[in-house]
Amino acid sequence: MRLDKYLCESGKGTRTEVKKQISRGAVSVNCTIIKDAGYKIDENADRVSIDGVEVKYADFEYYMLNKPQGVISASRDKRGGKTLCVTDLIREKIRSDLFPVGRLDKDTEGLLIITNDGDMAHRLLSPKRHVDKTYYAELDGKILPDAAERIMAGVDIGDDKPTMPCQVNMLSDSSCFITIHEGRYHEIKRMFKTEGRTVTYLKRISMGPISLDPELAPGEYRLLTDKETELLKNA
Ligand code: URA
């Protein structure tokens, strides 16, 4: 791999920025200063440093984030605004190409996987795979006793097709766990709208085989364990 690519992918700046660091003699490979941005390195064996500080490289990174409200599920605010993005919350990231696997609404909390593993994300989000996503939802008032049955059977939320059958476990007459197998825009909010209710609080608690670590407060994150990563890759 080219030296400048290695540094970019390790989050050390844009291609132009890392090229400047290389040409000013700040970058060494195995303790020898290298001024050629195209110098080929072995990312698994060579030791790369900037100003004497080792630059770690990771092919893939996998984090579990408890997304807080008010943060958008994107890698950067595409509207050019100042809104915080979920990847901004991952302070220790090595890679600069992390993105969230799927989207939660700005006001939704809970489990979000952040990675740069495009294949894994693609598999998890593939509409054909119907990976289960479970949420805890609170509503602005009571729903009728038979509302859960109607939502579970699939409802018309204004798209081409009704929603797929899902599971709803009512915890009270205005809160529930709901497991959906699709990932449509505002899906759960629109499902409860068909019963005349507004979702006032929504939190994702699991995605496929992975559950949100209860130790993580909103805004906190941790690396996925090897076992969790394996489970997601095989989901
Ligand atoms: N359904 C919603 O309505 N919002 C989310 O963030 C996720 C699922």
Side-chain angles (χ1 to χ4, degrees):
M1 173 186 290
R2 284 175 60 105
L3 180 57
D4 53 357
K5 186 165 189 277
Y6 178 99
L7 292 172
C8 283
E9 292 193 352
S10 304
K12 294 300 161 198
T14 61
R15 199 52 87 95
T16 312
E17 285 163 353
V18 302
K19 276 184 173 165
K20 274 189 197 151
Q21 288 179 304
I22 295 168
S23 59
R24 78 174 167 85
V27 177
S28 60
V29 179
N30 303 326
C31 300
T32 303
I33 289 177
I34 302 293
K35 292 194 169 186
D36 172 10
Y39 183 83
K40 288 283 186 310
I41 56 154
D42 176 349
E43 61 272 20
N44 297 313
D46 290 331
R47 204 185 139 133
V48 179
S49 305
I50 299 180
D51 292 326
V53 178
E54 191 175 352
V55 176
K56 289 192 218 134
Y57 184 77
D59 277 353
F60 293 119
E61 286 187 275
Y62 304 92
Y63 294 93
M64 169 190 293
L65 169 72
N66 183 355
K67 178 194 167 299
Q69 294 182 342
V71 177
I72 58 170
S73 298
S75 309
R76 76 191 81 84
D77 187 359
K78 293 205 171 66
R79 294 160 302 173
K82 293 198 177 73
T83 315
L84 205 58
C85 298
V86 286
T87 50
D88 296 334
L89 301 176
I90 314 290
R91 290 177 303 277
E92 286 89 358
K93 59 180 175 271
I94 298 172
R95 303 276 313 195
S96 55
D97 52 357
L98 298 184
F99 58 86
V101 178
R103 281 168 192 271
L104 293 175
D105 296 338
K106 191 173 174 186
D107 59 356
T108 300
E109 276 181 18
L111 176 64
L112 201 55
I113 307 296
I114 311 278
T115 186
N116 60 319
D117 185 343
D119 286 345
M120 186 184 85
H122 185 72
R123 281 196 306 276
L124 282 171
L125 298 175
S126 161
K128 289 191 197 124
R129 293 197 184 232
H130 305 310
V131 170
D132 290 357
K133 283 141 305 234
T134 300
Y135 295 79
Y136 166 72
E138 287 176 7
L139 312 172
D140 64 343
K142 299 178 184 178
I143 52 170
L144 298 170
D146 52 356
E149 297 293 333
R150 278 194 289 277
I151 289 177
M152 283 198 279
V155 279
D156 179 1
I157 57 171
D159 294 343
D160 297 347
K161 289 188 223 156
T163 54
M164 276 180 68
C166 67
Q167 283 81 49
V168 178
N169 293 322
M170 294 307 294
L171 301 169
S172 71
D173 49 21
S174 62
S175 65
C176 66
F177 287 122
I178 175 166
T179 302
I180 57 173
H181 315 289
E182 309 171 278
R184 300 193 204 177
Y185 179 68
H186 286 174
E187 182 163 357
I188 294 174
K189 291 174 181 165
R190 290 196 285 154
M191 287 163 117
F192 283 103
K193 264 283 168 251
T194 65
E195 295 294 332
R197 286 292 161 219
T198 298
V199 173
T200 53
Y201 177 75
L202 192 60
K203 176 178 186 171
R204 182 154 68 191
I205 53 175
S206 71
M207 181 171 189
I210 301 295
S211 295
L212 179 65
D213 185 335
E215 302 269 304
L216 296 176
E220 291 185 344
Y221 60 91
R222 66 160 170 80
L223 284 168
L224 287 186
T225 63
D226 290 347
K227 188 166 176 225
E228 287 168 333
T229 309
E230 243 359 85
L231 283 170
L232 275 183
K233 283 184 179 170
N234 298 321

